[in-house]
Amino acid sequence: MGLVVPIENYATNPVPTMLNHVEKVRLAEELGFSAIWLRDVPFNVPSFGDAGQTFDPFVYLGLLSGQTSKIALGVASIILPLRHPAHIAKAAASVDQISGGRLILGIASGDRPEEYPAMNVSYQERGKLFRESYKYIRRVAEPYPQLQSYFGAISGDLDILPKPEKTKLPLLITGSSQQSPDWLFNNGDGWITYPRPHITQKQFIGQLRDNSAIDKPVMEPLYIDITETPDALPHPIHLGYRLGINQLYQYLKSREEIGVNHVALNLRFNRVNIEETLGAISELILPHFNEKE
């Protein structure tokens, strides 16, 4: 169980306030949430309607790594085609090192076409650029790598420092990222998938489990609006549900049963006091899942 930052309600404005944002992350850690998740939103695109946490994810991760001690630091997700992979590799490994190996890096090809011409990058080629960037990031985790890539050539005569805390960065692929099913099954350390209907999600995860990725985790982000009535039945909202906390527990159990390993809750539309909501989830839901860790 994790949380998407900012941990606040900003349903009526695409830009969050970020008030007391560090204190809320510390509270999440204290209450037992296992991860926080940032997003990579280079531009505030009005048609998209959400500026994310507004801060650059790597700068923000540096701050949060020094303000926390055990909660995992996730990004869902870095848009690979819009950054040079050398910068991604160095920034991500730096966060991983200074946080004691707590970084989980989601990666994606991007879904906001307006951002690509602003950076002189081809939106149509984002699938190819995603693969090239992925290959580059993996290779430069090795000492003095050699590679030929769209993003440049390295001949083994220089190195990128630091290296990840462990042997490689944990990379979770978001959606399909314009890749074939075979590529998805054979690459990445896990997947971030949108909250599909239950049967569809079960089929998707079943396909993953039937392949060599059987031990790789699946993460699902979920927008929630917890009602004051504990048993209120789920009502669909954007990529999630308005529902009672008992119904949230039932939803999470059903996802666990089909193979979802981690759910990142987004409280953007949550109308009840945020701190009260976090406390209720910590008290009534987290113990049922944390006891299995």
Side-chain angles (χ1 to χ4, degrees):
M1 292 286 298
L3 294 165
V4 178
V5 297
I7 308 172
E8 66 170 272
N9 179 309
Y10 62 109
T12 60
N13 192 325
V15 182
T17 67
M18 300 303 291
L19 290 174
N20 303 317
H21 60 95
V22 173
E23 289 80 0
K24 291 174 183 174
V25 171
R26 287 175 179 159
L27 176 62
E29 180 175 67
E30 179 183 336
L31 291 175
F33 289 89
S34 62
I36 55 168
W37 296 89
L38 287 62
R39 286 177 290 167
D40 184 18
V41 185
F43 296 93
N44 181 21
V45 180
S47 62
F48 190 71
D50 189 353
Q53 77 276 347
T54 73
F55 301 140
D56 176 86
F58 288 119
V59 174
Y60 195 27
L61 286 168
L63 169 67
L64 295 180
S65 67
Q67 296 290 326
T68 58
S69 60
K70 59 184 179 181
I71 196 166
L73 304 173
V75 186
S77 296
I78 290 293
I79 310 305
L80 293 192
L82 297 182
R83 296 172 181 259
H84 195 286
H87 294 147
I88 297 173
K90 187 174 186 72
S94 297
V95 171
D96 200 43
Q97 282 282 348
I98 64 177
S99 68
R102 289 188 282 144
L103 178 68
I104 304 172
L105 194 66
I107 53 175
S109 61
D111 58 3
R112 293 180 288 279
E114 297 90 339
E115 295 177 335
Y116 287 77
M119 293 190 175
N120 197 30
V121 176
S122 170
Y123 183 71
Q124 288 69 32
E125 294 185 354
R126 68 193 187 283
K128 171 189 174 183
L129 297 177
F130 177 90
R131 289 193 303 276
E132 289 286 302
S133 181
Y134 173 88
K135 179 177 69 174
Y136 192 108
I137 293 168
R138 282 296 196 219
R139 187 65 59 81
V140 298
E142 304 168 1
Y144 292 93
Q146 298 185 44
L147 68 98
Q148 294 286 334
S149 167
Y150 170 90
F151 291 100
I154 303 178
S155 302
D157 56 348
L158 50 79
D159 203 4
I160 287 184
L161 298 175
K163 301 299 183 185
E165 175 80 1
K166 298 185 174 68
T167 55
K168 63 178 183 177
L169 288 169
L171 301 179
L172 274 61
I173 300 170
T174 304
S176 66
S177 289
Q178 309 299 306
Q179 307 307 313
S180 69
D182 286 343
W183 193 95
L184 294 174
F185 295 150
N186 295 318
N187 292 276
D189 302 306
W191 289 270
I192 299 173
T193 178
Y194 294 106
R196 300 177 176 92
H198 188 80
I199 296 299
T200 306
Q201 195 77 303
K202 180 178 180 180
Q203 292 172 344
F204 172 73
I205 295 173
Q207 291 175 341
L208 294 179
R209 300 307 186 215
D210 286 340
N211 285 269
S212 60
I214 187 168
D215 294 326
K216 296 180 181 181
V218 175
M219 188 275 259
E220 177 186 307
L222 182 72
Y223 285 82
I224 59 169
D225 177 13
I226 301 298
T227 67
E228 294 181 351
T229 304
D231 292 314
L233 296 175
H235 176 78
I237 60 175
H238 174 68
L239 295 177
Y241 297 96
R242 179 174 297 115
L243 73 179
I245 195 162
N246 293 340
Q247 290 296 316
L248 175 61
Y249 169 73
Q250 294 299 327
Y251 177 90
L252 295 170
K253 288 297 294 182
S254 71
R255 292 288 150 146
E256 181 185 51
E257 290 169 0
I258 63 172
V260 173
N261 304 96
H262 182 83
V263 174
L265 302 175
N266 190 320
L267 300 178
R268 181 186 178 189
F269 302 114
N270 197 76
R271 293 175 290 184
V272 176
N273 177 273
I274 294 296
E275 286 78 6
E276 291 180 9
T277 298
L278 295 179
I281 294 172
S282 173
E283 178 184 357
L284 301 175
I285 292 181
L286 293 190
H288 296 283
F289 297 97
N290 289 348
E291 65 188 11
K292 298 179 181 180
E293 292 182 351

